[in-house]
Amino acid sequence: VHGEMDTDEGDVSSEGSLEPLSKTTAQLRDIRTAVLSNFLGSFFLMLLVSCVTLASTVNEPQSDNARLLSCALGVAFSHAALVHATARFSPGCLNPALTLALCAIDIIKWGAGGVIAAAQCLGVLVATMFLKLCIPSAYQGNLAAFQLSSDEGVVAALILEFILGFALSFVVCGTSVHPEGERRATGLAVGLCAGAAHFVGANFSGAVLNPARAFSSALFSNTWTHFYVFFFSPLFGAVSGAVGYHYAFIYNNRLLSERSHSS
């Protein structure tokens, strides 16, 4: 009997010694899955959104309002479908600004967030390269790169892009981050917010929302005018939205709950 017990204890200890290794292997597998899903999701999202934007400029008979509405719907449907398809592996919703925003409130660890954001940026770059190679030069335009007509609108564009990035991050936190949020509705909520942002801001600032998209389009079209507006403003807006939501609706509520239980 004692021998059997010693053997069992030995098995337990040997299994215990393997736990860190198996846990590390599972974490690496999760990271690989997250990188692949974020790369593919960002690739297809950039491809669809850019094609929608370029197609609206080719279709000349459309009125300005019809073109704007068709673009907004295309952006909304693209975001809703791909964010929903990759939501399990992409809490950052295929946007490096949102990924870093979630890192800022400790939803994603900075190391994993950096890897995921890099995968998202790489997917956007490969999609833009694909567009550059496959679309006839007559229809490429500036590859949906963003620029302002004059320096007079820079401040307004900075503010608008910040607000739109804040709103998108706020929506993501309300659905996928909040403990009582409707996580299954994240794709739909992000799609609706992205479509509304495009409808509101496309004619004023471009409604970029995604710094990787701004950088990739500027790189392959060599259009760097006012690039900082479209890169930094959505990023700061997304981080501010996540931090603001976290402290206003999660952290404070947690403190109040703890105080009520302690009293």
Side-chain angles (χ1 to χ4, degrees):
V1 175
H2 289 290
E4 292 177 0
M5 290 180 64
D6 292 339
T7 303
D8 291 340
E9 290 175 359
D11 291 340
V12 171
S13 62
S14 63
E15 289 177 1
S17 64
L18 294 176
E19 282 183 2
L21 180 60
S22 61
K23 185 176 181 180
T24 302
T25 304
Q27 290 175 342
L28 290 174
R29 186 167 58 247
D30 291 341
I31 287 292
R32 287 198 299 268
T33 304
V35 167
L36 181 59
S37 63
N38 277 276
F39 171 80
L40 292 176
S42 298
F43 173 84
F44 288 116
L45 183 62
M46 179 65 180
L47 202 67
L48 290 174
V49 171
S50 296
C51 286
V52 165
T53 306
L54 292 173
S56 68
T57 61
V58 172
N59 195 0
E60 294 296 338
Q62 279 189 326
S63 65
D64 291 339
N65 290 334
R67 184 180 296 113
L68 179 61
L69 179 59
S70 63
C71 278
L73 289 175
V75 169
F77 293 154
S78 301
H79 277 81
L82 288 167
V83 168
H84 182 76
T86 59
R88 181 179 178 184
F89 311 106
S90 178
C93 297
L94 307 178
N95 187 331
L98 294 174
T99 300
L100 296 180
L102 296 183
C103 290
I105 58 175
D106 205 27
I107 300 300
I108 306 175
K109 298 300 181 184
W110 281 104
V115 173
I116 291 173
Q120 293 167 346
C121 293
L122 182 61
V124 170
L125 286 169
V126 173
T128 310
M129 186 185 303
F130 182 82
L131 290 170
K132 183 79 173 177
L133 293 174
C134 296
I135 294 180
S137 57
Y139 299 111
Q140 285 183 10
N142 58 359
L143 281 178
F146 305 94
Q147 54 185 331
L148 301 175
S149 58
S150 66
D151 293 333
E152 296 178 358
V154 169
V155 175
L158 281 169
I159 295 173
L160 183 58
E161 287 294 321
F162 178 89
I163 292 173
L164 295 178
F166 189 103
L168 184 62
S169 181
F170 192 89
V171 167
V172 170
C173 289
T175 52
S176 66
V177 174
H178 196 283
E180 299 178 2
E182 293 291 339
R183 289 175 174 79
R184 294 182 179 180
T186 300
L188 178 61
V190 170
L192 291 174
C193 185
H198 188 88
F199 191 79
V200 170
N203 288 337
F204 298 100
S205 65
V208 181
L209 300 177
N210 191 329
R213 183 184 169 204
F215 173 76
S216 182
S217 296
L219 177 66
F220 283 95
S221 65
N222 197 25
T223 306
W224 298 99
T225 307
H226 305 125
F227 165 74
Y228 61 93
V229 174
F230 311 112
F231 186 87
F232 292 107
S233 200
L235 178 60
F236 291 146
V239 172
S240 300
V243 172
Y245 188 98
H246 176 74
Y247 283 102
F249 300 105
I250 300 177
Y251 181 76
N252 286 339
N253 288 347
R254 189 181 302 159
L255 287 179
L256 291 174
S257 177
E258 291 175 355
R259 289 173 183 173
S260 64
H261 285 303
S262 61
S263 61

